[in-house]
């Protein structure tokens, strides 16, 4: 509708996100550093397991295997502690950032001209202050830190495979191309789809609010059929937009599930031909375990990918309040929100 509240463009959303990060930059940097340490500790397990394969093949005794097994256990405990602490720091960062978003939204909403709110309808503003802010809060509190941790882990795992053997690393990366193409296809379509879903939710909320607020007028003028038709049309649009986002997910996730097995199979095939030649059996085992381990952070990223796209669209709608033009203050009037002034003597 022509009076709808604006939606921020992607460049403005990125600038707003960077501004929020800068406001709590120390916590954000600490979260990245601790995540990197946790990811580094997690790399020890597969490498040590590959060493066990090599030492057993070379005829080493049980004592050597026990020492390597204890090292695997110690590395796992270190990774657990660091990951939990990184999650704690990330959640605190998310809650503080969400508080800033809520405060800023409230300030902007109270600063909106009354005429703008009347043209847009209270449903749009209400949906942005409830559904959109809640979606953004879920990302800042849970999805954001989890995705950051998973991204650091995935980068470290791929780097470890290349360090083990560049050829095996190339096999792993080529095997992941299916995920890359599927994610790219999804991302190009997800933001417009989630923006359309948010707009449909706002329109439905406006229809329900208008019908409820004017229930007596509707009954008096016998407009029940017209209001029911309008609400059913809004519900149908919500269903259509949600079906669209569901279709995008139904394409993404099956392709990803199939793509997980390709890099592991490629490494095992290439390593099977080259084992005992230019690389050891332990190297092949470690690379296969790394790539199998890669599935966990990629699962986390893809699991939250939908929520991240939805919250990105929500953030664009929340930031859109800043694009509403404010009328110039009248001469001699208040320079703020154009509030109603009481005149006459004796008003206290």
């Amino acid at each position: 509708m022509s009076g709808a509240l604006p939606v921020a463009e992607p460049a403005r959303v990125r600038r707003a996100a960077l501004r929020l990060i800068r406001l709590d930059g120390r916590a954000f940097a600490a979260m990245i550093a601790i995540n990197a340490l946790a990811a580094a500790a997690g790399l020890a397990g597969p490498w040590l397991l590959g060493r066990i394969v090599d030492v057993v093949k070379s005829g080493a005794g049980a004592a050597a295997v026990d020492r390597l097994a204890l090292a695997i256990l110690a590395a796992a405990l270190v990774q657990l502690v660091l990951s939990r602490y990184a999650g704690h720091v990330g959640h605190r960062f998310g809650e503080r950032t969400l508080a800033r978003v809520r405060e800023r939204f409230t300030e902007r909403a109270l600063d909106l001209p009354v005429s703008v709110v009347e043209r847009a309808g209270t449903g749009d503003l209400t949906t942005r202050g409830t559904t959109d802010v809640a979606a953004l809060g879920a990302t800042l509190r849970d999805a954001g830190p989890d995705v950051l941790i998973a991204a650091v882990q995935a980068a470290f795992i791929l780097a470890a495979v290349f360090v083990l053997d560049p050829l095996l690393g190339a096999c792993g990366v080529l095997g992941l191309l299916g995920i890359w193409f599927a994610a790219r296809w999804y991302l190009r379509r997800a933001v417009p789809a989630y923006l359309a879903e948010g707009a449909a939710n706002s329109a439905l909320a406006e229809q329900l609010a208008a019908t409820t607020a004017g229930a007596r007028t509707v009954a008096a003028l016998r407009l029940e059929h017209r209001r029911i038709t309008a609400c059913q049309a809004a519900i149908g649009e919500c269903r259509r937009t949600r079906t669209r986002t569901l279709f995008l997910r139904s394409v993404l996730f099956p392709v990803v599930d199939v793509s997980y097995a390709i890099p592991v199979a490629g490494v095992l095939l290439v390593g099977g031909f080259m084992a005992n030649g230019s690389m050891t059996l332990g190297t092949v085992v470690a690379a296969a375990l790394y790539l199998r381990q890669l599935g966990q952070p990629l699962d986390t990223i893809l699991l939250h990918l939908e929520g991240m796209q939805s919250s990105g669209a929500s953030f664009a709608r929340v930031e859109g309040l800043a694009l509403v033009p404010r009328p110039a203050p009248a001469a001699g009037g208040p320079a703020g929100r154009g509030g109603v002034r009481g005149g006459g003597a004796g008003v206290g």
Side-chain angles (χ1 to χ4, degrees):
M1 54 184 172
S2 59
L5 295 173
V7 176
E9 66 276 9
R12 185 183 183 90
V13 173
R14 286 193 294 270
R15 289 195 299 269
L18 291 175
R19 183 175 65 249
L20 291 172
I21 291 174
R22 284 196 299 268
L23 289 173
D24 204 356
R26 294 179 63 181
F28 187 79
M31 180 171 57
I32 293 178
I34 299 169
N35 287 334
L37 293 175
L43 297 178
W47 181 79
L48 290 170
L49 192 55
R51 289 288 301 152
I52 290 176
V53 172
D54 286 339
V55 298
V56 169
K57 187 178 179 182
S58 64
V65 175
D66 290 342
R67 285 195 299 270
L68 292 172
L70 287 175
I72 292 175
L73 178 61
L77 290 175
V78 171
Q79 183 188 23
L80 175 62
V81 172
L82 290 174
S83 297
R84 292 295 298 271
Y85 185 61
H88 173 72
V89 174
H91 291 160
R92 286 176 60 85
F93 167 80
E95 290 293 346
R96 287 194 295 266
T97 304
L98 177 59
R100 294 188 179 98
V101 171
R102 290 185 186 277
E103 291 169 0
R104 189 63 174 154
F105 177 84
T106 302
E107 292 172 0
R108 289 171 174 171
L110 293 175
D111 198 42
L112 289 175
V114 176
S115 59
V116 172
V117 178
E118 289 178 346
R119 285 197 305 269
T122 57
D124 192 3
L125 185 61
T126 301
T127 302
R128 296 185 189 218
T130 54
T131 304
D132 290 330
V133 172
L136 183 59
T139 296
L140 291 171
R141 185 172 50 249
D142 300 317
D146 289 347
V147 168
L148 181 60
I149 293 172
V152 173
Q153 289 176 343
F156 273 58
I157 290 172
L158 285 176
V161 178
F162 274 99
V163 169
L164 281 174
D165 189 276
L167 179 59
L168 296 182
C171 291
V173 171
L174 289 175
L176 294 174
L177 286 179
I179 298 177
W180 184 81
F181 281 115
R184 186 178 178 183
W185 176 89
Y186 174 81
L187 292 174
R188 281 204 304 265
R189 294 161 175 80
V191 173
Y194 281 109
L195 284 174
E197 184 177 339
N201 289 336
S202 294
L204 177 59
E206 174 61 25
Q207 291 290 347
L208 294 176
T211 302
T212 303
R216 293 187 178 181
T217 303
V218 170
L221 298 178
R222 298 182 179 179
L223 299 175
E224 294 92 341
H225 179 71
R226 182 180 300 178
R227 296 308 304 170
I228 290 173
T229 301
C231 289
Q232 287 177 339
I235 292 171
E237 181 64 13
C238 279
R239 182 179 182 276
R240 186 190 68 79
T241 56
R242 293 191 181 187
T243 301
R244 171 62 177 169
T245 57
L246 177 60
F247 165 74
L248 295 178
R249 298 192 297 273
S250 69
V251 172
L252 174 67
F253 292 128
V255 173
V256 169
D257 288 339
V258 173
S259 298
Y260 279 155
I262 296 176
V264 178
V267 164
L268 291 176
L269 286 173
V270 173
F273 284 112
M274 302 186 67
N276 299 321
S278 60
M279 66 182 69
T280 67
L281 180 60
T283 299
V284 177
V285 171
L289 289 175
Y290 277 135
L291 292 173
R292 188 68 185 90
Q293 192 180 42
L294 186 63
Q296 181 179 357
L298 289 181
D299 267 341
T300 301
I301 293 172
L302 294 170
L303 178 65
H304 291 298
L305 189 60
E306 174 201 354
M308 297 287 283
Q309 295 304 307
S310 177
S311 64
S314 296
F315 194 23
R317 287 163 52 78
V318 170
E319 280 294 310
L321 292 189
L323 302 178
V324 176
R326 269 61 175 179
R337 298 164 187 163
V340 179
R341 301 173 61 196
V347 178

